[in-house]
Amino acid sequence: MEIAVVGRHTEVTDRFRDHVEDKLAKVSQLAPNARRVDVEVTHEKNPRLSDMSERVELTVRDKGPVIRAEAAADDRFAALDLAIDKLNERLRRSRDRRKDHRRRGADVMPPVDVRPYDEVQADLPEPEAEPASLSTPGDAVEYQLGDSPVVIRQKLHRGEPMTADEAVEHMELVGHDFFLFIDKESARPAAVYRRRGWSYGVIELDAKCSGVAPVTELG
């Protein structure tokens, strides 16, 4: 299993890289089919955020859904420990879910890429002046809103037809508060989002995606 460690706005020492490899050794036990783990370390320069200045983001690239976790602290080693705890819990849930699916004879959900674009390479270029036309899923660009300090990040995702239940599962595995998808039954663009506790909401647009036929359940 490959482990790629990159720093965004910061340098990553060999000591930290060695520590990452030691800490991620358990990933291969929880996700034996994992091909790669991407580790991104970000340093926040704002002194007002000194207690959360070090952020670590972990992304496991497996045959199933992408599994992601992140955490922030005043020390990157502490942030790494927090992120790994979250990641291991999501890996356990994913492993147990796959076992349950195999018992039912169900297929594993298709992978959905939710990683930030080019996160294992150099920092993104300076924001463009105008929004770009994106054509390939995974492409992303940042642009500045007029003369204001507002920067908008634009990214193109591949829409995967799935049920609302599957969308909730994907959302939980990547630790997001919302998840965009194409509803398999209605062929409409939709989003699931977290409400309170274990309550979720679903929003659909009153328009159908071309090339996606609604699925009708029989029986």
Side-chain angles (χ1 to χ4, degrees):
M1 181 182 68
E2 181 182 359
I3 298 176
V5 184
V6 296
R8 191 177 295 277
H9 311 303
T10 186
E11 295 291 332
V12 180
T13 65
D14 291 339
R15 175 171 170 262
F16 184 77
R17 293 178 186 274
D18 293 339
H19 186 69
V20 167
E21 292 185 2
D22 291 340
K23 285 289 187 176
L24 289 178
K26 195 174 182 179
V27 169
S28 59
Q29 301 174 20
L30 296 173
N33 295 322
R35 303 185 301 271
R36 179 188 181 104
V37 180
D38 296 324
V39 182
E40 181 180 295
V41 183
T42 305
H43 175 70
E44 174 57 59
K45 298 180 180 180
N46 189 339
R48 296 182 180 180
L49 302 176
S50 59
D51 58 338
M52 306 287 282
S53 59
E54 300 292 332
R55 178 174 296 276
V56 175
E57 180 180 302
L58 309 173
T59 304
V60 176
R61 309 290 290 177
D62 203 339
K63 290 184 178 180
V66 171
I67 301 177
R68 175 177 167 272
E70 64 177 289
D74 59 352
D75 174 81
R76 66 183 53 179
F77 288 89
L80 175 65
D81 289 343
L82 292 172
I84 286 179
D85 288 344
K86 294 180 181 179
L87 181 68
N88 287 339
E89 176 61 26
R90 288 167 187 167
L91 287 172
R92 291 189 189 96
R93 290 170 57 189
S94 177
R95 179 193 59 187
D96 294 344
R97 188 175 297 109
R98 291 181 186 183
K99 289 181 180 179
D100 185 57
H101 283 179
R102 282 196 292 269
R103 285 195 295 267
R104 298 177 186 178
D107 294 330
V108 176
M109 291 183 295
V112 176
D113 192 351
V114 295
R115 294 175 57 207
Y117 174 67
D118 206 18
E119 65 176 358
V120 296
Q121 300 182 19
D123 291 345
L124 287 171
E126 292 297 322
E128 301 288 343
E130 299 292 338
S133 177
L134 304 179
S135 58
T136 303
D139 284 352
V141 67
E142 291 184 357
Y143 62 91
Q144 193 164 349
L145 188 60
D147 296 329
S148 73
V150 176
V151 174
I152 297 177
R153 188 169 191 271
Q154 180 182 355
K155 183 175 181 180
L156 181 65
H157 286 273
R158 176 180 288 106
E160 294 286 348
M162 62 181 68
T163 65
D165 289 344
E166 290 173 334
V168 170
E169 297 291 351
H170 280 292
M171 181 180 70
E172 290 291 343
L173 289 177
V174 298
H176 286 177
D177 292 325
F178 70 94
F179 191 85
L180 301 175
F181 68 105
I182 298 174
D183 190 279
K184 184 183 293 185
E185 297 179 355
S186 66
R188 293 172 177 161
V192 293
Y193 62 94
R194 190 190 310 277
R195 299 178 69 189
R196 296 179 181 177
W198 293 100
S199 177
Y200 302 91
V202 180
I203 298 175
E204 287 192 8
L205 297 182
D206 187 19
K208 293 189 177 182
C209 297
S210 60
V212 179
V215 176
T216 302
E217 298 291 342
L218 302 178

